[in-house]
């Protein structure tokens, strides 16, 4: 049901934009006002969320220990999976962000042998398709800068060239356009088909997937099918960027407004959703702390500095007589 | 706030990257002006078709000419044209830099037409 409601929500957004900017002709609202508001909500929400997280204390060092920790010199340790220095932690974080190493360790659990024996197995598909989706999305984001920068920088043209290097069809097919659909479809089907994942999936898991699918499909439709007027679109975007927004003389396609509205929704929704893992990964105590608690004391920021350490010797000094009376052993006789 | 000395600079860098297009913008007004042919008012098809489909027409022409040896294109009104980028298109749109490149460059499109084709019937680039 969660999937169905999320799908209907995205469909409703599509219709709002299609009717609002299509038949109702509210171009300024959908082309200027909503994108500005969405960007402001995104920026303010992002800052709010980060500051909120940064204010939360981390009471314990809870680094994930993914391998042999540093101990005796003759025991081989895993410096990236179980880092004990800042450098190791930075390397772990970079590898996590770029290659999703923790997803690579994903396992599946199954009942085998007359449904009584629990069996664990490797499950790499989540890692593979998550990587495909994220890399494709990132490339698409960078590629879109051709509509936001004037003149178009050479590096963006290079990325565009590499992305369409197979030169399939006219306009040339971007590999990332296919890959993002493949990635998103897998991530969605995983939640629908796998009963265990389905059981724990909520509307806030499905909604971003449908929203991103809507954005990708409307973008693909504009490029390959209706050939949206890119020059007019860039006139609008550059107007927005220079804070002198003006709608181009030629009416823009309704699909463009649907695309823009869905992207605005994504931006405004982003800071309050699970998509904030973009920033959250850097603030995860399981990832950003070195596992060095046996060499270095980790101070709980909650600790009241007025409460001083109380050693056993001092404790015994306080209660020695009572302890002797009760027959408890003491280290120092009175 | 904990670890402010790491988090605040990282947040500022992120905000700078996100808002980069706002302060990196070039000209205040973005406008593409094309030099239209002086002695012609009509292209081989109507303007909207040419805008959305010129690349597909040219692609189709290339296949027809190179693979099937067919060189005559009949448009929607029944007028016949020679299927040639250099001789037909560029006899009117003679200046590539003032016509083709205007749109292509401004949105970062790099068609590979001129990897092979000359820009004038006589030669030269």
């Amino acid at each position: 049901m969660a999937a169905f409601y999320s799908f209907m929500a995205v469909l409703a957004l599509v219709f709002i934009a299609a009717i609002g900017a299509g038949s109702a002709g509210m171009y300024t609202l959908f082309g200027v006002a909503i994108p500005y508001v969405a960007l402001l909500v995104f920026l303010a929400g992002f800052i709010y969320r980060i500051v909120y997280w940064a204010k939360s204390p981390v009471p314990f060092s809870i680094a994930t220990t993914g391998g042999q920790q540093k101990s005796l010199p003759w025991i081989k340790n895993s410096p990236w999976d179980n880092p004990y220095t800042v450098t190791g932690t930075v390397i772990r974080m970079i590898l996590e962000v770029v290659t999703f190493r923790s997803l690579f360790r994903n396992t599946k659990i199954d009942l085998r042998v007359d449904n009584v024996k629990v069996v664990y197995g490797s499950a790499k598909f989540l890692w593979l398709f998550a990587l495909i989706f994220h890399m494709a999305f990132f490339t698409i984001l960078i590629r879109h800068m051709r509509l936001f920068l004037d003149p178009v920088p050479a590096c963006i043209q290079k990325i565009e060239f590499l992305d369409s290097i197979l030169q399939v069809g006219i306009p040339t097919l971007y590999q990332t356009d296919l890959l993002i659909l493949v990635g998103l479809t897998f991530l969605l089907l995983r939640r629908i088909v796998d009963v265990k994942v389905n059981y724990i999936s909520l509307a806030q898991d499905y909604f971003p997937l449908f929203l991103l699918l809507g954005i990708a499909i409307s973008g693909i439709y504009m490029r390959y099918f209706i050939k949206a007027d890119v020059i007019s679109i860039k006139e609008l975007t550059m107007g927005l960027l220079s804070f002198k927004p003006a709608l181009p003389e030629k009416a823009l396609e309704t699909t463009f407004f649907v695309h823009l509205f869905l992207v605005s929704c994504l931006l405004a929704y982003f800071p309050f959703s699970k998509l904030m893992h973009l920033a959250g990964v850097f603030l995860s105590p399981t990832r950003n702390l070195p596992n060095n608690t046996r060499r270095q004391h980790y101070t709980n920021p909650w600790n009241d500095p007025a409460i001083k350490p109380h050693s056993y010797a001092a404790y015994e000094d306080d209660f020695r007589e009572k302890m002797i009376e009760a027959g408890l052993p003491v280290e120092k006789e009175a | 706030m904990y670890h402010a000395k790491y988090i605040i600079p990282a947040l500022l860098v992120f905000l700078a990257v996100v808002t980069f297009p706002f302060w990196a913008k070039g000209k205040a007004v973005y406008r593409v002006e094309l030099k239209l042919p002086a002695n012609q008012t009509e292209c081989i098809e109507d303007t909207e078709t040419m805008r959305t489909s010129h690349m597909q027409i040219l692609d189709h022409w290339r296949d027809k000419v190179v693979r099937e040896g067919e060189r005559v294109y009949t448009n929607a009104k029944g007028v016949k044209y020679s299927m040639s980028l250099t001789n037909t298109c560029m006899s009117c749109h003679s200046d590539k830099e003032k016509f083709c490149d205007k749109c292509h460059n401004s949105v970062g499109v790099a068609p590979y037409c001129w990897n092979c084709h000359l820009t004038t019937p006589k030669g030269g680039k």
Side-chain angles (χ1 to χ4, degrees):
Chain A
M1 269 334 244
F4 177 73
Y5 287 135
S6 307
F7 176 72
M8 292 313 278
V10 174
L11 206 60
L13 292 177
V14 171
F15 276 111
I16 289 171
I19 294 165
S23 36
M26 293 184 279
Y27 303 120
T28 316
L29 178 68
F30 283 90
V32 179
I34 291 177
Y36 271 142
V37 171
L39 186 65
L40 276 179
V41 171
F42 173 77
L43 294 175
F46 204 93
I47 295 170
Y48 166 78
R49 202 68 195 267
I50 296 286
V51 171
Y52 176 76
W53 278 337
K55 278 183 175 166
S56 313
V58 178
F60 303 111
S61 178
I62 52 165
T64 307
T65 54
Q68 177 62 51
Q69 77 166 313
K70 172 81 173 161
S71 61
L72 297 166
W74 42 270
I75 298 175
K76 195 166 177 273
N77 69 311
S78 324
W80 297 345
D81 287 322
N82 201 339
Y84 62 100
T85 55
V86 172
T87 321
T89 315
V90 169
I91 292 171
R92 167 204 264 207
M93 184 61 86
I94 291 170
L95 289 174
E96 178 65 39
V97 169
V98 178
T99 66
F100 304 175
R101 278 168 67 97
S102 57
L103 286 188
F104 197 71
R105 293 201 201 95
N106 185 36
T107 52
K108 60 176 178 226
I109 181 169
D110 233 335
L111 283 176
R112 292 277 168 81
V113 191
D114 303 329
N115 274 356
V116 283
K117 198 156 189 200
V118 177
V119 180
Y120 294 90
S122 160
K124 300 274 184 264
F125 280 120
L126 175 62
W127 167 79
L128 179 68
F129 286 95
L131 200 60
I132 287 176
F133 161 71
H134 281 84
M135 291 298 173
F137 194 21
F138 185 63
T139 313
I140 289 171
L141 199 66
I142 303 260
R143 228 180 46 208
H144 269 71
M145 286 304 120
R146 77 190 176 108
L147 303 173
F148 293 90
L149 297 172
D150 186 51
V152 183
C155 55
I156 303 231
Q157 298 209 27
K158 205 44 116 199
I159 288 167
E160 181 137 348
F161 168 74
L162 289 172
D163 197 358
S164 56
I165 197 160
L166 297 179
Q167 293 187 341
V168 178
I170 297 278
T172 44
L173 177 76
Y174 291 129
Q175 284 95 262
T176 49
D177 280 357
L178 285 182
L179 291 175
I180 196 171
L181 287 184
V182 168
L184 282 170
T185 308
F186 175 85
L187 294 177
L188 183 63
L189 287 180
R190 185 181 83 98
R191 290 195 180 276
I192 293 171
V193 174
D194 186 332
V195 282
K196 292 188 288 303
V197 185
N198 183 276
Y199 185 74
I200 56 164
S201 293
L202 305 167
Q204 58 262 46
D205 297 310
Y206 292 109
F207 180 72
L209 288 172
F210 282 118
L211 191 60
L212 287 166
L213 270 174
I215 291 169
I217 291 168
S218 57
I220 287 168
Y221 184 65
M222 273 195 291
R223 175 174 170 84
Y224 303 101
F225 296 95
I226 57 163
K227 320 266 176 44
D229 192 342
V230 187
I231 303 294
S232 300
I233 289 171
K234 194 165 179 177
E235 275 177 29
L236 176 68
T237 58
M238 296 310 283
L240 289 171
L241 290 177
S242 57
F243 296 109
K244 285 181 210 116
L247 288 165
E249 287 157 35
K250 216 172 121 239
L252 287 163
E253 292 80 358
T254 307
T255 318
F256 168 73
F257 285 108
V258 171
H259 187 73
L260 187 64
F261 184 63
L262 292 181
V263 172
S264 302
C265 290
L266 180 71
L267 275 178
Y269 172 66
F270 198 96
F272 313 102
S273 69
K274 295 191 175 191
L275 301 170
M276 265 309 272
H277 67 264
L278 166 71
V281 65
F282 295 101
L283 297 176
S284 301
T286 55
R287 293 281 170 281
N288 66 14
L289 286 168
N291 179 26
N292 59 357
T293 48
R294 293 186 175 180
R295 332 170 143 245
Q296 222 175 309
H297 176 68
Y298 182 86
T299 309
N300 182 349
W302 281 343
N303 286 351
D304 183 350
I307 300 170
K308 298 287 178 241
H310 196 216
S311 68
Y312 178 72
Y315 168 86
E316 210 182 83
D317 287 343
D318 290 349
F319 297 105
R320 184 162 297 108
E321 274 119 61
K322 290 196 172 80
M323 288 172 81
I324 293 169
E325 250 175 62
L328 292 171
V330 286
E331 285 185 350
K332 210 169 83 183
E333 295 296 335
Chain B
M1 205 169 150
Y2 300 97
H3 305 295
K5 67 175 171 165
Y6 301 114
I7 293 174
I8 289 176
L11 189 57
L12 289 178
V13 168
F14 175 78
L15 294 178
V17 170
V18 169
T19 54
F20 174 69
F22 279 96
W23 42 268
K25 64 180 193 298
K27 290 168 295 205
V29 180
Y30 169 87
R31 199 155 299 279
V32 175
E33 261 148 42
L34 301 179
K35 189 181 169 237
L36 297 174
N39 49 355
Q40 276 286 350
T41 49
E42 264 183 36
C43 200
I44 56 164
E45 299 284 356
D46 64 86
T47 313
E48 195 50 29
T49 312
M50 290 316 292
R51 188 190 66 72
T52 57
S53 311
H54 65 276
M55 56 309 238
Q56 277 155 332
I57 291 173
L58 287 170
D59 194 46
H60 181 67
W61 282 15
R62 181 197 61 191
D63 291 354
K64 281 277 175 207
V65 171
V66 176
R67 296 180 193 163
E68 292 166 34
E70 211 176 290
R71 288 182 176 274
V72 181
Y73 175 76
T74 312
N75 76 0
K77 288 183 190 156
V79 185
K80 288 185 171 31
Y81 292 95
S82 164
M83 291 187 192
S84 167
L85 171 67
T86 309
N87 295 326
T88 305
C89 308
M90 300 195 76
S91 65
C92 298
H93 304 291
S94 52
D95 198 338
K96 168 176 168 276
E97 277 161 30
K98 284 184 181 144
F99 188 76
C100 314
D101 289 353
K102 282 274 178 181
C103 290
H104 291 160
N105 288 355
S106 80
V107 288
V109 178
Y112 47 91
C113 310
W114 293 282
N115 291 7
C116 307
H117 283 276
L118 300 171
T119 52
T120 62
K122 297 208 171 59
K125 277 236 166 185

